[in-house]
């Protein structure tokens, strides 16, 4: 068997996949659903655990230890080993010695509209599973050893499975995902050479993302693997190579998550970063709004996401090693203009200056306490994001020789309204767009106007920094202050620490001149990721990872903050 490559990770937390693939191997098969055995999971037409992968000896399931690296996954038993690697983006190679592998229909029942059918392909001896859920086929081709098929052509309830290596001898198979047909599987590459190629591809990706890594940044390789393994090739509605939020159940590109991933990619993979930044804008509607999310088989417009894109674009340009071309700038200017006028033309109540969110989901902070009093609110974070975005648009207009008058006028009026209507002298609050009622002011969301620090009075900046400091725990900025009435340890946006809010807060503090507090936020969050991985969010008191454990924007935020920290260290020395 192949010597195990480095960069080990826990398969219970991070799926085994490869850049560009819509497949992974994982025990996670659906929303908050884990199985005892690993499954071949497809993310075409949703997330579906299509085939279970069960190690067997003498016809009995056996307990194994699963070891994983970016290029090789193994089930290890005292009597032998089963190995898996990706051969391209749509094929998984599997081999074993001393241990067999049962590859079985995970649905267990075939109905006219659900489940998986199994048949033997005439003339090839390959077994083919057809899945209603994904609308794809999964062909198992014997490369060596014994292959037994059970349930060939069976309908209704019953076992449909392929057993590789049931006799205990060495074996190897390839499992392919495809649509209606594909030429018989052929390979000229040995299993070992495929593993080596995958290992080399990951090392190249790692070097591109983080040439600055070292002993002070022990989480870099794992963060890079989260991004690498969550990347899918253009397919379905995603017309660009894209990083999904996760290859667990959060298998979409949401229209603010993508910006943080673009920032992590920018220095080493600028063209891919630009694609990542632009991906949701490919589906702007007639009003200029990008969708809430995009994935293989759906584009959803039931919500939007906050307009952080002006801030993100400015930061992206700082981090890219090449300037954007005039054509690229003109394209981005058009997209950001339409996105901004969506808020200005379609999200303001009559006679009001400030735009409104229709639901917490629009802010990205789905259940934040700021939305407890009213759901439809003029929110301080939204106003601040737009001030920044309109300033960036005005600068772009100047570069391109366009008229920037409206952008500057709207930025000034929104800033005035932010300070006049939403600042109470101590805190920013939100206001019900219809009711006029004032929100609570305990959420970290209310402190995000620090991002527009360059336009805020010094007294307001200082008050925001003081409030932010109260939110900072041992691990970073909590979304609600622990121990207070509204704090919930696993309350989603009502207590836990999140990556995007951390990055936005850190950026605002640093641009406001509160470098020491910004350093503390960065250092504590990076230490949290090194301790607890790249979870969707984290318990603000214990640092425990919560919810999805392989979140790409968390990994990207770690890489971004670590890169900037190392850059400051180099500059200082």
């Amino acid at each position: 068997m192949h010597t195990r490559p480095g960069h080990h990770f826990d398969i219970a937390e991070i799926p085994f996949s490869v850049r560009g693939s819509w497949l992974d191997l994982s025990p996670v098969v659906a929303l908050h659903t884990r199985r005892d055995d690993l499954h071949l999971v497809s993310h075409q037409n949703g997330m579906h655990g299509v085939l279970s992968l069960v190690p067997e000896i003498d016809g009995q399931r056996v307990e194994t230890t699963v070891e994983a690296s970016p290029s090789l996954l193994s089930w290890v038993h005292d009597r032998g080993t089963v190995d898996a690697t990706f051969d391209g983006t749509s094929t998984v190679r599997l081999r074993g010695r001393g241990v067999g592998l049962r590859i079985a229909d995970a649905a267990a029942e075939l109905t006219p509209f659900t489940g998986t059918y199994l048949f033997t392909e005439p003339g090839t001896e390959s077994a083919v599973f057809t899945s209603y859920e994904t609308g794809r086929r999964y062909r198992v081709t014997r490369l060596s050893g014994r292959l037994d098929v059970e349930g060939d052509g069976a309908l209704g309830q019953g076992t449909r499975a392929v057993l590789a290596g049931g006799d205990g001898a060495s074996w190897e198979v390839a499992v392919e995902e495809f649509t209606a047909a594909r030429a018989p599987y052929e390979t000229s590459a040995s299993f070992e050479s495929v593993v080596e190629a995958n290992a080399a591809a990951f090392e190249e990706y790692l070097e591109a993302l983080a040439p600055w890594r070292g002993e002070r940044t022990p989480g870099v390789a794992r963060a890079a693997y989260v991004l690498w393994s969550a990347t899918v090739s253009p397919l379905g509605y995603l017309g660009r190579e894209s990083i999904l939020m996760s290859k667990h159940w959060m298998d979409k590109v949401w229209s603010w998550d993508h910006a943080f991933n673009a920032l992590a990619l920018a220095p080493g993979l600028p063209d891919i970063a630009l694609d990542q930044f632009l991906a949701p804008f490919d589906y702007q509607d007639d009003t200029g709004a990008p969708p809430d999310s995009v994935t293989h088989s759906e584009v959803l417009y039931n919500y939007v996401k906050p307009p952080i894109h002006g801030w993100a674009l400015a930061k992206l340009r700082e981090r890219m090693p090449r300037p954007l071309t005039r054509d690229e700038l003109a394209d981005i200017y058009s997209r950001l203009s339409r996105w901004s006028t969506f808020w200005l033309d379609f999200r303001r109540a009559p006679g009001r200056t400030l735009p409104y969110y229709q639901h917490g989901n629009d802010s990205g902070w789905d259940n934040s306490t700021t939305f407890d009093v009213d759901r439809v609110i003029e929110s301080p974070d939204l106003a601040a994001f737009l001030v920044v975005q309109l300033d960036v648009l005005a600068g772009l207009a100047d570069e391109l020789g366009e008229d920037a008058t409206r952008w500057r006028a709207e930025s000034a009026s929104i800033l005035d309204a932010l300070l006049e209507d939403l600042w109470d002298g101590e805190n920013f609050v939100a206001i019900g767009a219809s009711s006029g009622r004032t929100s609570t002011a305990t959420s970290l969301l209310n402190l995000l106007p620090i991002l527009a620090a360059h336009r805020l009075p010094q007294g307001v900046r200082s008050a925001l920094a003081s409030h932010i400091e109260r939110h900072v725990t041992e691990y970073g900025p909590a979304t609600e202050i622990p121990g207070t009435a509204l704090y919930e340890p696993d309350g989603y946006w009502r207590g836990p620490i999140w990556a995007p809010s951390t990055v936005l807060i850190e950026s605002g503090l640093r641009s406001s001149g509160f470098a020491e507090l910004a350093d503390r936020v960065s250092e504590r969050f990076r230490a949290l990721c090194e301790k607890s991985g790249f979870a969707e969010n984290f318990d603000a008191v214990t640092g425990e990872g919560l919810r999805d454990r392989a979140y790409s924007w968390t990994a990207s935020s770690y890489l971004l903050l670590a890169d900037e920290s190392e850059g400051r260290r180099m500059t200082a020395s």
Side-chain angles (χ1 to χ4, degrees):
M1 294 295 172
H2 193 279
T3 303
R4 175 154 302 281
H7 310 310
H8 298 174
F9 64 89
D10 185 352
I11 192 65
E13 293 194 351
I14 306 174
F16 179 68
S17 190
V18 67
R19 179 183 178 183
S21 181
W22 288 83
L23 297 169
D24 68 77
L25 304 186
S26 175
V28 179
V29 297
L31 176 65
H32 304 304
T33 304
R34 292 176 180 269
R35 299 286 184 244
D36 292 336
D37 294 302
L38 300 189
H39 281 58
L40 178 71
V41 179
S42 176
H43 297 271
Q44 296 195 47
N45 294 315
M47 179 188 186
H48 304 287
V50 181
L51 301 174
S52 62
L53 307 173
V54 183
E56 288 190 1
I57 296 177
D58 298 330
Q60 299 296 316
R61 178 185 182 278
V62 293
E63 294 293 334
T64 60
T65 300
V66 178
E67 299 177 354
S69 73
S71 59
L72 180 67
L73 180 141
S74 299
W75 293 259
V76 180
H77 186 271
D78 289 344
R79 289 175 56 181
T81 303
V82 174
D83 291 329
T85 193
F86 277 81
D87 188 357
T89 59
S90 62
T91 301
V92 177
R93 293 268 290 272
L94 295 151
R95 71 174 183 182
R97 183 179 61 194
V99 180
L101 189 71
R102 178 173 291 273
I103 304 168
D105 164 27
E109 182 178 8
L110 178 65
T111 77
F113 300 105
T114 64
T116 301
Y117 173 62
L118 173 64
F119 67 94
T120 300
E121 193 172 56
T124 68
E125 299 182 356
S126 296
V128 180
F129 295 90
T130 69
S131 169
Y132 272 108
E133 283 69 27
T134 66
R136 301 295 182 269
R137 297 159 187 262
Y138 302 85
R139 181 170 61 193
V140 183
T141 298
R142 182 181 67 86
L143 303 182
S144 66
R146 180 171 172 175
L147 189 69
D148 297 305
V149 179
E150 184 177 353
D152 189 347
L155 304 176
Q157 290 187 329
T159 299
R160 280 170 284 273
V162 173
L163 177 60
D167 57 358
S170 297
W171 58 271
E172 184 175 349
V173 300
V175 181
E176 305 164 86
E177 180 183 54
F178 54 88
T179 53
R182 180 181 279 186
Y185 177 81
E186 293 182 1
T187 181
S188 59
S190 67
F191 192 97
E192 287 82 0
S193 64
V194 173
V195 172
E196 289 168 0
N198 287 336
F202 176 69
E203 291 297 334
E204 181 180 3
Y205 185 85
L206 174 60
E207 180 64 20
L209 260 60
W212 40 263
R213 66 194 183 278
E215 293 181 358
R216 289 185 300 271
T217 56
V220 164
R222 184 164 50 163
Y225 178 70
V226 169
L227 299 188
W228 190 73
S229 63
T231 300
V232 292
S233 57
L235 193 65
Y237 284 116
L238 284 171
R240 306 169 188 261
E241 181 180 85
S242 299
I243 301 175
L244 303 178
M245 186 47 41
S246 172
K247 278 185 184 166
H248 287 152
W249 56 85
M250 302 294 277
D251 56 348
K252 301 181 183 183
V253 175
W254 274 268
S255 292
W256 71 314
D257 309 7
H258 70 111
F260 297 91
N261 290 336
L263 292 176
L265 298 177
L269 297 168
D271 295 338
I272 301 299
L274 188 58
D275 270 343
Q276 187 71 20
F277 179 78
L278 291 173
F281 290 99
D282 290 341
Y283 291 98
Q284 282 179 283
D285 70 7
D286 292 341
T287 69
D292 183 49
S293 63
V294 185
T295 190
H296 173 269
S297 54
E298 65 179 26
V299 182
L300 301 182
Y301 293 94
N302 49 331
Y303 298 104
V304 294
K305 284 295 173 275
I308 64 164
H309 303 89
W311 166 83
L313 175 63
K315 202 169 187 67
L316 188 72
R317 295 182 72 181
E318 291 174 3
R319 291 178 57 75
M320 288 179 70
R322 67 166 178 88
L324 294 173
T325 68
R326 183 176 179 82
D327 286 346
E328 288 169 339
L329 287 173
D331 179 47
I332 293 170
Y333 177 74
S334 173
R335 296 170 191 257
L336 278 189
S337 296
R338 294 177 60 215
W339 178 214
S340 300
T341 54
F342 163 80
W343 293 101
L344 301 175
D345 296 347
F346 296 96
R347 282 293 185 90
R348 293 201 281 202
R352 297 292 296 171
T353 300
L354 293 173
Y356 58 82
Y357 290 133
Q358 295 176 342
H359 184 278
N361 288 0
D362 282 351
S363 73
W365 294 51
D366 308 2
N367 67 335
S368 165
T369 58
T370 306
F371 293 87
D372 283 358
V373 177
D374 285 284
R375 306 294 181 267
V376 183
I377 60 173
E378 296 171 3
S379 187
D381 64 308
L382 173 56
F385 294 154
L386 274 176
V387 167
V388 173
Q389 184 153 300
L390 293 168
D391 287 350
V392 170
L393 268 178
L396 279 176
D398 291 341
E399 283 187 70
L400 294 168
E402 302 284 348
D403 184 2
T405 303
R406 185 186 186 189
W407 309 134
R408 290 195 168 94
E410 292 282 14
S411 176
S413 64
I414 290 173
L415 177 65
D416 288 345
L418 170 65
L419 294 171
E420 182 175 340
D421 297 350
L422 303 186
W423 179 250
D424 67 7
E426 289 292 332
N427 300 283
F428 278 114
V429 296
I431 296 176
S434 298
S435 71
R437 291 179 298 203
T438 299
S439 74
T440 58
T442 62
S443 174
L444 189 67
L445 176 70
N446 296 58
L447 304 177
L448 288 180
I450 194 72
L451 197 70
H454 66 293
R455 300 291 301 279
L456 299 176
Q458 180 59 48
V460 174
R461 296 202 302 267
S462 296
L464 289 175
S466 177
H467 291 321
I468 289 168
E469 191 163 20
R470 295 178 59 229
H471 280 259
V472 178
T473 73
E474 177 184 352
Y475 299 107
T479 46
E480 289 283 341
I481 298 174
T484 56
L486 297 179
Y487 172 77
E488 299 176 29
D490 187 11
Y492 220 54
W493 291 96
R494 303 171 75 93
I497 294 167
W498 286 77
S501 53
T502 299
V503 168
L504 295 171
I505 288 290
E506 192 270 354
S507 178
L509 287 170
R510 198 167 297 284
S511 64
S512 302
F514 298 98
E516 183 178 346
L517 182 55
D519 286 344
R520 196 187 320 161
V521 168
S522 174
E523 289 164 5
R524 292 186 181 184
F525 181 77
R526 286 181 282 122
L528 169 63
C529 292
E530 289 160 4
K531 169 183 181 288
S532 299
F534 302 102
E536 184 174 355
N537 54 70
F538 303 88
D539 187 299
V541 175
T542 68
E544 176 189 0
L546 303 172
R547 311 295 176 111
D548 193 315
R549 298 303 185 88
Y551 234 50
S552 60
W553 74 357
T554 309
S556 287
S557 295
Y558 173 85
L559 291 169
L560 171 64
L561 294 174
D563 183 11
E564 292 181 336
S565 175
E566 290 301 295
R568 289 190 297 272
R569 183 185 296 272
M570 290 291 293
T571 299
S573 62

